[in-house]
Amino acid sequence: MKRFIRHIILFSSIVLASIYFILSQADGYSDPFYLKFTTPQQKSLIIGTSKAAQGIIPSVIAENFDIPVYNYSFSINSSPFGPKYLESIKHKLSQKKRDGVFILNVDCWSIASRCTEPNDILSFRENNTCIAEMETVDKNPNLSYLLKYMSGNYYKILHKPAVALLHDDGWLEVSLSMDSISVARRTKSTLLNYKNKQSIYKYSSLRVDYLVKTIDFLNEFGDVYLVRLPVSPKLMAIENDVMPDFNNTINQIVNKTSGYLDLTTTNDLYKYTDGVHLQKESGKKVTEEISKWIRNVEAQQKGTKKGTTVK
Amino acid sequence: MLFNSIDFAVFLPIVFALYWFVTNKRLKLQNFLLVIASYTFYGWWDWRFLSLIIFSTLVDYSVGLALKKQENQTKRKILLWTSILVNLGFLGFFKYYNFFLDNFITAFSFFGTEIKANSLYIILPVGISFYTFQTLSYTIDVYKRKLEPTKDLIAFAAFVSFFPQLVAGPIERATNLLPQFYKKRKFIYSQATDGMKQILWGLFKKIVIADNAAEYANMIFNDSSDYSGSTLVLGALFFTFQIYGDFSGYSDIAIGTSRLFGFNLKRNFAFPYFSRDIAEFWRRWHISLSTWFRDYLYIPLGGSRGGIWMKIRNTFIIFIVSGFWHGANWTFIVWGALNAIYFIPLLLTNNNRNNLDIVARGKYLPSFKELISMLLTFGLTVFAWIFFRAENMEHAFSYISQIVSLSLFEMPYFLGIRKAAMIVGFIILFLLIEWIGREQQYAIKTLVSKWKKPFQWVFYYLIVMLIFLYGTTSKEFIYFQF
């Protein structure tokens, strides 16, 4: 019996040590969110869904501004505005300084709910996601994340799939083939998916309240900028159907921020991997546009008050 | 509690330590601990259904004792039928009530009579078909005087609820398992390490093979109308390996776990996909259920001793009942009937016992004839599994009709085909190991036993790592629903 126990303990120790070693190798290739929960607390943040995660590039902002901004955007399922995302932002934000820059990506999906009662907080779609459940967002390696959310996908730690890479600054770099056939196939599938969402997603006044709460909270630590990222014209048509008066809704709260930049007026200027997400190069251009706009707003703010809508 | 869960990974060492160290190896105390552990294991799903197990245990225990005292044949029959009715009554209510009600209503509406009846929302207690058959075997054997009834209620309760095989078998016979509860168990190193190896292989089958195959089988079966015939064939193949990995994996874990506690359970699978005909397949697939039906249904019906029609009738009965045992759905009945149709020509031509030995014993490769026979039998089995997996008969027929179309010659395509290719690689590796180890109780029993110890450890370490890296999130075992 002693020999059996001794062997089991020895074998288990080797296995556990190997598992720990493998888990500690997890990086930006392993999972699209993992590094967001391993990097230190941040002074400046980009907030939004996967459009922002892929389309706003912190390193481009850093080139223009010399400000390290961290992209803390997730996906349409995890990070619409609500109590859970706000709580997570509070965990991620270093609350020591008050000169941060906060770029909030807004669109009709992030202020909509897909439950029967759009203001039913208990049925919010992000309630069972990592955003809601992860209290520790700055620990490396973050074992609780790996054990809970990567279960079933540990092979990705070793295989390093080349399609998506989450950078240390939070930018999710997606490298997909941009030939016309591949783009058309992905766009067809994604737009079909969004068309299905069209009847399910409903405007939620409570989510708008939480957008305001998020702005109010972030205002204490720096300047807040609202941005609506460009999308393909076909998705634009769907978004207009879902919330025709989206800009009016945002304009009602814009005075709480440093400004609102609606880039959907320039949709045709950019390329999209699937009709929704900006292609890498287009993401760089869009981020440069955002940087320029912020610089202009800052210059204007020195002489005027907050709440400028720039188109 | 699932075998492939963290809960079980904590539960098992605790029970093991208490069993061998705290009970001080006292038999009564060990049996009592096993009852408590088994009830905890079962109650983890839904403690309310423990009452069914306890009631069934008390009924069969009392019937067993009463049968011993009773010499009057009529009264003995009444006692036997009391046990059968109680056990099958529970099974019938929980598993088949809505099925019979729905079919009754459909049948009457066919003749123009509308019947209004309320179907009930009934939750099927996990493993009810398994422990019901296990306890029935006890009463029937006592009735036939093949077994002395036990006076030891704790040992009997432990036999009925023994946690390694409680929810998905192997369905143990009282003649095999019950006496093991009377004997003092001794810890034997070789038996325990053998048990650990079998558990490891079972986990590999379940987590790496079955659960990964399930992802694609489910995707393809759930939206079968969207896929080409060639993709549907792949879907059926994925399900074929899912169900084998899932169920035989469970049996391996159950048998291995029992060995840690000093028990020997019956073998439940013997490499069925290497069978050369359907009769051999059924001697190698879910052995504990096949032999149960053979001994308690087929032989009492007359078996294959009567004329041709009697043989055909009995074969259909046993296969259809076996199909129905799996679930209250016409798909299972058709699956059973289809297997009967496969089997009858062999029976009528006296070719059903041609292949009793393992294929190509002592050789590396099968002969060409054996290979063709294996492929043909495998093909028939895959076809039958389509009925087993389909949601209903309409789904099964539409699935098959889509296979038999020009799209059968298209390249298969579905989401995640790259990962699927990796899973196919694992299935091929798995089949290779199973082929090499086919003369053993389970594939890796002696696979590396001649290697030096450090190399053996590396082999087992690699299996653990494969389970960790390529396992999916813990999924229930398919046979829990039966």
Side-chain angles (χ1 to χ4, degrees), chain B residues 334-349:
Chain B
V334 171
W335 171 76
L338 194 56
N339 275 285
I341 292 167
Y342 292 164
F343 186 85
I344 283 170
L346 294 171
L347 183 70
L348 296 182
T349 55

Side-chain angles (χ1 to χ4, degrees), chain B residues 247-429:
Chain B
F247 193 22
S248 72
Y250 185 94
S251 296
D252 280 334
I253 301 168
I255 295 167
T257 305
S258 307
R259 288 174 80 76
L260 291 180
F261 294 89
F263 288 87
N264 284 310
L265 298 186
K266 282 163 69 123
R267 192 183 191 189
N268 215 15
F269 288 86
F271 312 103
Y273 290 159
F274 300 142
S275 301
R276 286 152 290 180
D277 59 46
I278 283 294
E280 187 186 8
F281 176 83
W282 280 104
R283 282 192 295 274
R284 297 181 175 280
W285 179 274
H286 202 174
I287 299 165
S288 64
L289 182 72
S290 312
T291 51
W292 198 101
F293 278 124
R294 182 196 65 200
D295 295 346
Y296 299 110
L297 185 63
Y298 187 66
I299 292 173
L301 283 171
S304 54
R305 279 170 298 178
I308 289 176
W309 290 113
M310 182 127 152
K311 282 180 185 175
I312 293 173
R313 184 201 71 175
N314 291 350
T315 304
F316 265 106
I317 287 175
I318 190 173
F319 274 106
I320 287 172
V321 171
S322 169
F324 200 46
W325 175 90
H326 285 85
N329 193 329
W330 283 102
T331 53
F332 294 120
I333 295 172
V334 171
W335 171 76
L338 194 56
N339 275 285
I341 292 167
Y342 292 164
F343 186 85
I344 283 170
L346 294 171
L347 183 70
L348 296 182
T349 55
N350 282 327
N351 283 314
N352 57 316
R353 296 185 70 78
N354 284 354
N355 297 308
L356 296 176
D357 196 12
I358 187 77
V359 60
R361 183 181 282 281
K363 295 177 192 164
Y364 286 113
L365 295 170
S367 67
F368 183 70
K369 189 186 164 199
E370 284 170 336
L371 181 67
I372 296 296
S373 306
M374 282 195 295
L375 288 175
L376 191 65
T377 308
F378 182 74
L380 290 173
T381 311
V382 174
F383 182 72
W385 286 134
I386 294 173
F387 287 92
F388 193 94
R389 174 60 181 80
E391 297 301 319
N392 48 48
M393 287 306 295
E394 198 186 347
H395 183 209
F397 284 127
S398 76
Y399 196 100
I400 293 164
S401 65
Q402 264 175 270
I403 288 179
V404 191
S405 69
L406 282 177
S407 66
L408 180 64
F409 304 102
E410 289 175 12
M411 276 295 283
Y413 183 79
F414 50 88
L415 208 64
I417 198 160
R418 280 187 191 166
K419 192 188 169 194
M422 189 173 74
I423 303 310
V424 169
F426 283 133
I427 290 173
I428 292 169
L429 174 75

Side-chain angles (χ1 to χ4, degrees), chain A residues 270-289:
Chain A
Y270 304 106
K271 285 182 184 169
Y272 308 91
T273 55
D274 57 0
V276 177
H277 301 100
L278 283 159
Q279 181 260 352
K280 276 196 280 188
E281 292 306 318
S282 291
K284 280 179 190 166
K285 285 181 194 162
V286 163
T287 312
E288 276 167 3
E289 283 296 314

Side-chain angles (χ1 to χ4, degrees), chain A residues 1 3-5 7-8 10-11 14-15 18-19 22-23 151-156 158-159 185, chain B residues 16 20-21 187 189 192-193 196 260 413 419 422 457 460-461 464-465 468-473:
Chain A
M1 174 69 93
R3 192 170 137 217
F4 179 74
I5 302 283
H7 283 175
I8 288 290
L10 181 61
F11 189 75
I14 295 168
V15 165
S18 306
I19 288 174
I22 292 170
L23 291 180
S151 173
N153 286 304
Y154 295 127
Y155 71 96
K156 288 181 181 169
L158 300 184
H159 281 220
R185 200 180 67 216
Chain B
F16 180 86
W20 290 112
F21 299 115
F187 182 86
Y189 176 81
T193 50
M196 290 299 289
L260 291 180
Y413 183 79
K419 192 188 169 194
M422 189 173 74
W457 276 47
Y460 300 128
Y461 169 84
V464 174
M465 284 297 125
F468 169 71
L469 288 170
Y470 296 97
T472 60
T473 45

Side-chain angles (χ1 to χ4, degrees), chain B residues 18-248:
Chain B
L18 291 173
Y19 184 83
W20 290 112
F21 299 115
V22 179
T23 59
N24 211 17
K25 294 174 190 168
R26 276 180 291 172
L27 192 65
K28 290 251 174 207
L29 214 51
Q30 280 185 330
N31 287 346
F32 184 69
L33 175 72
L34 286 177
V35 173
I36 299 297
S38 301
Y39 286 175
T40 308
F41 178 84
Y42 192 83
W44 217 255
W45 276 288
D46 197 328
W47 57 269
R48 290 171 301 174
F49 291 128
L50 270 178
S51 54
L52 289 181
I53 296 180
I54 295 168
F55 187 72
S56 192
T57 305
L58 292 174
V59 168
D60 289 309
Y61 173 76
S62 313
V63 167
L65 290 178
L67 279 169
K68 189 183 181 180
K69 288 179 200 157
Q70 191 54 255
E71 290 301 325
N72 180 303
Q73 197 52 29
T74 312
K75 286 182 180 171
R76 283 175 63 80
K77 270 194 178 163
I78 290 171
L79 284 167
L80 173 69
W81 279 103
T82 304
S83 166
I84 292 173
L85 287 175
V86 167
N87 286 301
L88 293 186
F90 281 148
L91 189 62
F93 175 75
F94 283 102
K95 197 164 175 173
Y96 301 109
Y97 175 83
N98 283 336
F99 174 80
F100 282 117
L101 188 75
D102 291 346
N103 281 283
F104 188 70
I105 293 167
T106 309
F108 268 82
S109 59
F110 183 74
F111 294 108
T113 313
E114 284 294 321
I115 293 179
K116 283 186 181 174
N118 292 329
S119 58
L120 301 176
Y121 177 69
I122 300 171
I123 304 169
L124 182 69
V126 173
I128 190 168
S129 309
F130 290 90
Y131 67 77
T132 299
F133 272 43
Q134 188 155 312
T135 52
L136 273 178
S137 83
Y138 169 79
T139 323
I140 297 169
D141 284 350
V142 171
Y143 172 78
K144 288 182 173 177
R145 300 185 201 279
K146 284 183 183 170
L147 180 75
E148 267 296 296
T150 182
K151 288 178 186 168
D152 185 342
L153 179 60
I154 298 297
F156 185 69
F159 155 73
V160 175
S161 64
F162 190 42
F163 74 87
Q165 44 85 241
L166 171 62
V167 290
I171 301 167
E172 275 298 326
R173 300 296 178 79
T175 43
N176 176 51
L177 184 58
L178 191 54
Q180 295 185 49
F181 285 98
Y182 309 148
K183 287 183 202 152
K184 200 166 171 60
R185 270 89 67 181
K186 207 175 140 193
F187 182 86
I188 303 166
Y189 176 81
S190 58
Q191 189 184 25
T193 50
D194 191 50
M196 290 299 289
K197 280 196 283 184
Q198 195 159 3
I199 291 173
L200 184 61
W201 189 237
L203 286 171
F204 176 81
K205 282 181 182 176
K206 164 66 181 162
I207 297 172
V208 179
I209 302 299
D211 288 352
N212 278 307
E215 275 188 32
Y216 300 101
N218 291 341
M219 189 171 72
I220 294 168
F221 268 91
N222 291 348
D223 294 309
S224 55
S225 56
D226 296 344
Y227 295 106
S228 65
S230 54
T231 310
L232 296 186
V233 170
L234 266 184
L237 283 168
F238 275 124
F239 181 69
T240 300
F241 287 102
Q242 179 199 349
I243 193 152
Y244 175 57
D246 191 284
F247 193 22
S248 72

